[in-house]
Amino acid sequence: MAKLSEPFRLKGLELKNRIVMAPMCQYSVEEQDGTPNDWHFVHYVSRAVGGTGLIIMEMTNVEPDGRITSRCLGLWDDAQIPAYARIVRECQRYGARVGVQIAHAGRKATDAEQPVSSSPIPVEPTGWKTPRELTTAEVRGQVGLFREAARRAVEAGFDTIELHGAHGYLIHQFHSPSLNRRTDEYGQDKLRFGCEVIAAVREVMPADMPLILRFSATEYIEGGYELDYGLEIARRYKEAGVDILHVSSGGEAPPNGKRQPGNYPGYQVPMARAVREAAGIPVIAVGMLDEPELAQSVVQSGDADLAGIGRALLRNPYWAVDALLKTEGLRTEQPAYKRGYPLK
């Protein structure tokens, strides 16, 4: 089976290794205009220098009121494209490939005066704003916003696009039976919105560019969906045009059911394997894969095709270089840093 160091190819995407930097919000847009700045440039380029195969930029929103906070990224204006293009070009210079996670926070848009959602259900009864239910026409409008954000991502030179359908954000709010209580066509078929978004972004993506979708394979609220429904989500979204599934769980609200999220390394890996087998397409496993040996075992065992690394890459921009040295004895590709990784 594959090793972490082995290339991965799908359509026109070629990765030098199987290490993925999972998207993690930086909350660092000081001008609050949704445009990446020097912080984001240094943050992402340093991970490219550090050997990461695929960098997925953080949750990037389709409209201003779709942000978690006013300090989050956005792609709702063509004027934002050059700042992304600068980051993408520099990361690619060091051998990384770059994706962007396109999203809408929905009811979790904390700085929006009036958040919107599939249904008027707050994240919690107190401490959160009650969202306004989108009209049917507005739902269709949201599909268009995703399409336009994807068009801008393509113009910025991204190698792939990821849709955020996990962790209780807008796509999740539609496909979750607990969060979607609509009676129109988007309630009768709860996966319709997600499928329409997938189809819309595919319209503006090159045919050889893979589309990734991150989703929660299970929920942790009382009455939340289980893995069997998660597998249905995976199959439907694959049929709609998704090429890679990024398998996470929960995030829809604070856990209050019998099922609780794991708090141990690799706790989501069995879900990733189940999705891979059910959907028959590549998957990214994620969730406390901090130790290189664990990440290596995930891809070697066939549990997943790619290993998503989150917080460990916040702590160490050179996690990929260190992991490949530790597991396979490989030195960094960057000549200036080779003295830091002497041959034994």
Side-chain angles (χ1 to χ4, degrees):
M1 302 297 289
K3 296 181 179 179
L4 274 180
S5 64
E6 291 186 19
F8 174 84
R9 296 180 179 86
L10 182 65
K11 292 187 171 180
L13 179 68
E14 296 190 10
L15 307 181
K16 65 181 179 180
N17 60 46
R18 304 211 171 205
I19 299 168
V20 177
M21 179 179 179
M24 293 169 285
C25 292
Q26 297 298 293
Y27 306 109
S28 296
V29 183
E30 295 176 359
E31 297 298 324
Q32 301 186 16
D33 61 356
T35 303
N37 53 34
D38 284 347
W39 169 268
H40 301 90
F41 182 85
V42 172
H43 174 65
Y44 290 111
V45 174
S46 63
R47 274 70 186 176
V49 172
T52 305
L54 174 62
I55 295 168
I56 304 179
M57 287 185 66
E58 66 204 80
M59 182 173 170
T60 299
N61 303 280
V62 301
E63 64 175 345
D65 279 350
R67 293 174 289 178
I68 301 172
T69 76
S70 58
R71 292 171 63 92
C72 293
L73 290 179
L75 253 178
W76 59 75
D77 191 317
D78 286 1
Q80 296 166 322
I81 295 173
Y84 288 97
R86 173 179 175 240
I87 295 171
V88 172
R89 285 194 304 268
E90 195 68 9
C91 288
Q92 291 169 338
R93 178 183 173 192
Y94 296 105
R97 295 294 172 261
V98 193
V100 61
Q101 185 185 72
I102 295 176
H104 191 298
R107 68 179 191 157
K108 297 177 86 173
T110 59
D111 284 349
E113 183 176 347
Q114 176 67 78
V116 297
S117 185
S118 56
S119 299
I121 307 169
V123 177
E124 290 191 89
T126 59
W128 288 81
K129 299 172 185 175
T130 298
R132 179 179 63 80
E133 180 175 306
L134 290 161
T135 67
T136 303
E138 287 174 331
V139 176
R140 296 180 186 130
Q142 288 292 332
V143 173
L145 293 179
F146 274 89
R147 179 193 294 110
E148 285 300 291
R151 175 187 61 77
R152 296 182 184 103
V154 171
E155 290 187 23
F158 283 101
D159 299 290
T160 185
I161 290 171
E162 176 172 286
L163 296 174
H164 201 345
H167 305 161
Y169 298 114
L170 190 62
I171 293 175
H172 186 159
Q173 289 163 30
F174 271 86
H175 68 224
S176 170
S178 297
L179 307 180
N180 181 349
R181 300 176 186 173
R182 304 175 67 92
T183 58
D184 66 359
E185 58 260 45
Y186 294 101
Q188 294 164 14
D189 178 2
K190 292 177 171 53
L191 294 169
R192 179 171 181 150
F193 176 66
C195 289
E196 288 188 0
V197 169
I198 292 164
V201 301
R202 286 242 65 111
E203 290 175 2
V204 297
M205 292 172 63
D208 66 346
M209 178 186 285
L211 176 62
I212 307 171
L213 183 134
R214 195 177 206 188
F215 82 110
S216 294
T218 60
E219 293 183 325
Y220 300 118
I221 54 173
E222 187 67 37
Y225 64 76
E226 301 284 347
L227 183 58
D228 57 347
Y229 184 69
L231 299 182
E232 179 184 348
I233 294 171
R235 287 187 286 260
R236 282 283 304 276
Y237 287 166
K238 173 198 173 181
E239 292 170 1
V242 167
D243 299 293
I244 303 174
L245 288 162
H246 192 167
V247 185
S248 189
S249 65
E252 68 286 343
N256 64 0
K258 294 180 181 179
R259 177 188 291 274
Q260 294 290 307
N263 191 29
Y264 54 87
Y267 72 99
Q268 294 178 146
V269 171
M271 302 179 207
R273 187 178 190 99
V275 169
R276 186 174 189 260
E277 292 174 350
I281 58 174
V283 302
I284 304 169
V286 70
M288 300 178 69
L289 306 182
D290 297 6
E291 293 302 320
E293 295 87 351
L294 175 57
Q296 177 83 291
S297 72
V298 166
V299 296
Q300 277 194 309
S301 65
D303 289 327
D305 302 88
L306 300 160
I309 309 301
R311 290 172 176 81
L313 266 167
L314 289 183
R315 296 191 295 271
N316 177 10
Y318 309 103
W319 186 94
V321 166
D322 291 345
L324 296 180
L325 180 66
K326 186 175 184 181
T327 57
E328 302 180 43
L330 301 176
R331 296 171 75 199
T332 177
E333 299 172 354
Q334 304 304 330
Y337 285 178
K338 284 189 181 293
R339 286 173 295 174
Y341 298 86
L343 293 172
K344 294 182 180 179

